[in-house]
Coordinates of all heavy atoms in Angstrom, one line a residue:
L618 N 106.2 82.5 122.3 CA 106.6 81.2 121.9 C 105.5 80.2 122.3 O 105.2 80.2 123.5 CB 107.9 80.8 122.5 CG 108.7 79.6 121.9 CD1 109.1 79.9 120.5 CD2 109.9 79.3 122.7
V619 N 105.0 79.4 121.4 CA 103.9 78.4 121.8 C 104.3 77.1 121.1 O 105.2 77.0 120.3 CB 102.5 78.9 121.3 CG1 102.1 80.2 121.8 CG2 102.4 78.9 119.7
R620 N 103.6 76.0 121.5 CA 103.8 74.8 120.9 C 103.4 74.9 119.4 O 102.4 75.5 119.1 CB 103.0 73.7 121.6 CG 103.5 73.3 123.0 CD 104.9 72.7 123.1 NE 105.1 71.6 122.2 CZ 106.3 71.2 121.8 NH1 107.4 71.7 122.2 NH2 106.4 70.2 121.0
E621 N 104.2 74.2 118.6 CA 103.9 74.4 117.1 C 102.5 73.9 116.8 O 101.8 74.5 116.0 CB 104.9 73.4 116.4 CG 105.2 73.9 115.0 CD 106.5 73.2 114.5 OE1 106.5 71.9 114.4 OE2 107.4 73.9 114.2
E622 N 102.0 72.9 117.4 CA 100.7 72.4 117.1 C 99.6 73.4 117.6 O 98.4 73.3 117.2 CB 100.4 71.0 117.7 CG 100.6 70.8 119.2 CD 102.1 70.5 119.6 OE1 103.0 70.7 118.8 OE2 102.3 70.1 120.7
A623 N 99.9 74.4 118.4 CA 98.9 75.3 118.9 C 99.0 76.6 118.1 O 98.2 77.6 118.3 CB 99.1 75.7 120.4
A624 N 100.0 76.7 117.2 CA 100.3 78.0 116.5 C 99.1 78.5 115.7 O 98.7 79.7 115.8 CB 101.5 77.9 115.6
T625 N 98.4 77.7 114.9 CA 97.3 78.1 114.1 C 96.2 78.6 115.0 O 95.7 79.7 114.8 CB 96.8 77.0 113.2 OG1 97.8 76.6 112.3 CG2 95.6 77.3 112.5
A626 N 95.9 77.9 116.1 CA 94.9 78.4 117.0 C 95.3 79.7 117.6 O 94.4 80.6 117.9 CB 94.6 77.3 118.1
A627 N 96.5 79.9 117.9 CA 97.0 81.0 118.5 C 96.9 82.2 117.6 O 96.4 83.4 118.0 CB 98.4 80.9 119.0
V628 N 97.3 82.1 116.4 CA 97.1 83.1 115.4 C 95.7 83.5 115.3 O 95.3 84.7 115.2 CB 97.7 82.7 114.0 CG1 97.4 83.7 112.9 CG2 99.2 82.6 114.1
R629 N 94.8 82.5 115.2 CA 93.4 82.8 115.0 C 92.8 83.6 116.3 O 92.0 84.5 116.1 CB 92.6 81.5 114.8 CG 92.8 81.0 113.4 CD 92.1 79.7 113.2 NE 92.4 79.1 111.9 CZ 92.2 77.9 111.5 NH1 91.7 77.0 112.4 NH2 92.6 77.5 110.3
A630 N 93.3 83.2 117.5 CA 92.8 83.8 118.7 C 93.2 85.2 118.7 O 92.4 86.1 119.1 CB 93.3 83.0 119.9
L631 N 94.4 85.5 118.4 CA 94.9 86.9 118.4 C 94.2 87.7 117.3 O 93.8 88.9 117.5 CB 96.4 87.0 118.3 CG 97.2 86.3 119.4 CD1 98.6 86.6 119.3 CD2 96.7 86.8 120.8
H632 N 94.0 87.1 116.1 CA 93.3 87.8 115.1 C 92.0 88.3 115.5 O 91.6 89.4 115.3 CB 93.3 86.9 113.8 CG 93.0 87.6 112.6 ND1 91.7 87.7 112.1 CD2 93.8 88.2 111.6 CE1 91.7 88.3 110.9 NE2 93.0 88.6 110.6
Q633 N 91.3 87.3 116.2 CA 89.9 87.7 116.7 C 90.0 88.7 117.8 O 89.2 89.6 117.8 CB 89.3 86.4 117.2 CG 88.0 86.6 117.9 CD 87.0 85.5 117.6 OE1 87.3 84.4 117.3 NE2 85.8 85.9 117.7
E634 N 90.9 88.5 118.8 CA 91.0 89.4 120.0 C 91.1 90.8 119.5 O 90.5 91.7 120.1 CB 92.2 89.0 120.8 CG 92.5 90.0 121.9 CD 91.4 90.2 122.9 OE1 90.6 89.2 123.2 OE2 91.3 91.3 123.5
F635 N 91.9 91.1 118.5 CA 92.2 92.5 118.0 C 91.2 92.9 116.9 O 91.5 93.9 116.3 CB 93.6 92.7 117.7 CG 94.5 92.6 119.0 CD1 95.2 91.4 119.3 CD2 94.6 93.6 119.8 CE1 95.9 91.3 120.4 CE2 95.4 93.6 121.0 CZ 96.0 92.3 121.3
G636 N 90.3 92.1 116.6 CA 89.2 92.5 115.7 C 89.7 92.8 114.3 O 89.2 93.6 113.6
L637 N 90.7 92.0 113.9 CA 91.4 92.2 112.6 C 90.5 91.9 111.4 O 90.8 92.4 110.3 CB 92.7 91.5 112.5 CG 93.7 91.9 113.6 CD1 95.1 91.3 113.3 CD2 93.9 93.4 113.7
A638 N 89.5 91.1 111.6 CA 88.6 90.8 110.4 C 87.7 92.0 110.2 O 87.1 92.1 109.1 CB 87.9 89.5 110.7
D639 N 87.6 92.9 111.1 CA 86.6 94.0 110.9 C 87.4 95.2 110.2 O 88.5 95.1 109.9 CB 86.1 94.5 112.3 CG 85.7 93.4 113.2 OD1 85.3 92.4 112.6 OD2 85.9 93.5 114.4
G640 N 86.6 96.3 109.9 CA 87.0 97.3 109.1 C 88.3 97.9 109.3 O 89.0 97.7 110.3
E641 N 88.7 98.7 108.3 CA 90.1 99.3 108.2 C 90.2 100.5 109.1 O 89.4 101.4 109.0 CB 90.4 99.7 106.8 CG 91.7 100.4 106.6 CD 92.8 99.5 106.0 OE1 92.4 98.3 105.7 OE2 93.9 99.9 105.9
T642 N 91.3 100.5 109.9 CA 91.7 101.8 110.5 C 93.2 101.8 110.3 O 93.9 100.9 110.8 CB 91.4 101.9 112.0 OG1 91.7 100.6 112.6 CG2 90.0 102.2 112.3
P643 N 93.7 102.8 109.6 CA 95.1 102.8 109.3 C 96.0 103.1 110.5 O 95.6 103.7 111.4 CB 95.3 103.8 108.2 CG 94.1 104.7 108.3 CD 93.0 103.9 109.0
S644 N 97.3 102.7 110.3 CA 98.2 103.0 111.4 C 98.4 104.5 111.5 O 98.2 105.2 110.5 CB 99.5 102.2 111.2 OG 99.9 102.5 109.8
P645 N 98.8 105.0 112.7 CA 98.9 106.4 112.9 C 99.7 107.2 111.9 O 99.4 108.3 111.5 CB 99.4 106.6 114.4 CG 99.8 105.2 114.8 CD 99.2 104.2 113.9
D646 N 100.9 106.6 111.6 CA 101.7 107.4 110.7 C 101.6 106.7 109.2 O 102.4 106.8 108.4 CB 103.2 107.3 111.1 CG 103.7 106.0 111.2 OD1 102.8 105.0 111.4 OD2 104.9 105.8 111.3
G647 N 100.4 106.1 109.0 CA 100.2 105.4 107.7 C 99.7 106.3 106.6 O 99.6 105.9 105.5
A648 N 99.5 107.6 106.9 CA 99.0 108.4 105.8 C 100.1 108.7 104.8 O 101.1 109.4 105.2 CB 98.5 109.8 106.4
P649 N 100.1 108.2 103.7 CA 101.2 108.2 102.7 C 101.4 109.6 102.2 O 100.4 110.4 102.0 CB 100.8 107.2 101.7 CG 99.6 106.5 102.1 CD 98.9 107.4 103.1
Q650 N 102.6 109.8 101.8 CA 102.9 111.1 101.2 C 103.1 110.9 99.7 O 103.7 110.0 99.3 CB 104.3 111.6 101.7 CG 104.4 111.8 103.3 CD 103.4 112.9 103.7 OE1 103.5 113.9 103.1 NE2 102.5 112.6 104.7
A651 N 102.5 111.8 99.0 CA 102.6 111.7 97.6 C 104.1 112.1 97.2 O 104.6 113.0 97.9 CB 101.7 112.6 96.8
Q652 N 104.7 111.4 96.3 CA 106.0 111.8 96.0 C 106.4 111.4 94.6 O 105.8 110.5 94.0 CB 107.0 111.3 97.0 CG 107.0 109.7 97.0 CD 108.0 109.3 98.1 OE1 107.6 109.3 99.2 NE2 109.1 108.8 97.9

Side-chain angles (χ1 to χ4, degrees):
L618 194 67
V619 301
R620 293 294 310 160
E621 208 165 59
E622 55 274 16
T625 294
V628 170
R629 288 180 184 159
L631 298 184
H632 197 269
Q633 170 141 28
E634 170 62 31
F635 292 99
L637 300 187
D639 314 331
E641 173 105 6
T642 41
S644 47
D646 56 343
Q650 301 296 309
Q652 61 187 73

